[in-house]
Amino acid sequence: MPETIFSKILSGEIPCHKVYEDARVLAFLDINPLAFGHTLVIPKEPAPTMDALSEESAAALGAVLPRLCRAVMEVSGCRHYNLLQNNGAPAHQAVFHVHFHIIPKPSSDEGLGIGWPAGSLEDGAALAERLRNALGA
Ligand code: AMP
């Protein structure tokens, strides 16, 4: 995988404000926070998007995310937050190394703003079956 800003952070080539580290995961402050306490959580495995990540790294991220969310809540004083994970440039991914954003939501005007152009589900049974087939379930 090509180098990214996050692989350079992992190698120590560029600095970060570290919040948490274990054998598979690193968390650090976002350099351009959407809100006070905005934290990034990344696997050490160099996967560009979530679909390319190993189950071991995904499990390690999932195991620590609730703790990190609680710490961000405590320090930011926010009861509400968004957990965001972008995949692909059209989906607003700028750094092609998997990462979760923990973004405090101090008020409806602050933090992450989301467009949510909801439709209505057509033929959910067939779609769910296609997805089950894709999963090999
Ligand atoms: P995304 O659009 O989901 O790829 O988000 C990438 C995030 O990385 C943005 O929120 C940036 O502010 C953040 N970012 C970029 N460079 C750095 C850096 N050197 N240290 C910390 N955060 C960074």
Side-chain angles (χ1 to χ4, degrees):
M1 198 178 98
E3 276 206 320
T4 65
I5 293 169
F6 295 170
S7 61
K8 289 181 181 173
I9 286 175
L10 283 167
S11 70
E13 197 178 322
I14 63 173
C16 73
H17 293 292
K18 183 162 79 177
V19 169
Y20 172 85
E21 182 170 17
D22 65 30
R24 292 188 187 272
V25 176
L26 178 70
F28 51 95
L29 295 179
D30 194 294
I31 204 166
N32 293 127
L34 288 185
F36 177 79
H38 184 166
T39 297
L40 298 173
V41 189
I42 71 172
K44 292 187 174 177
E45 181 186 331
T49 52
M50 184 59 92
D51 49 282
L53 191 66
S54 71
E55 291 192 4
E56 290 77 12
S57 288
L61 285 166
V64 76
L65 276 167
R67 258 176 83 200
L68 287 165
C69 290
R70 286 192 291 275
V72 171
M73 289 172 78
E74 182 181 326
V75 172
S76 68
C78 285
R79 288 174 50 221
H80 310 291
Y81 60 94
N82 292 98
L83 193 58
L84 176 70
Q85 203 277 312
N86 298 326
N87 298 277
H92 304 287
Q93 185 178 14
V95 179
F96 289 87
H97 182 121
V98 169
H99 52 283
F100 283 88
H101 299 255
I102 304 171
I103 310 168
K105 188 77 178 161
S107 72
S108 55
D109 299 333
E110 299 170 284
L112 180 68
I114 306 179
W116 196 275
S120 65
L121 180 62
E122 307 288 342
D123 206 353
L127 176 55
E129 187 179 5
R130 284 178 61 194
L131 289 165
R132 285 195 300 272
N133 290 338
L135 283 165

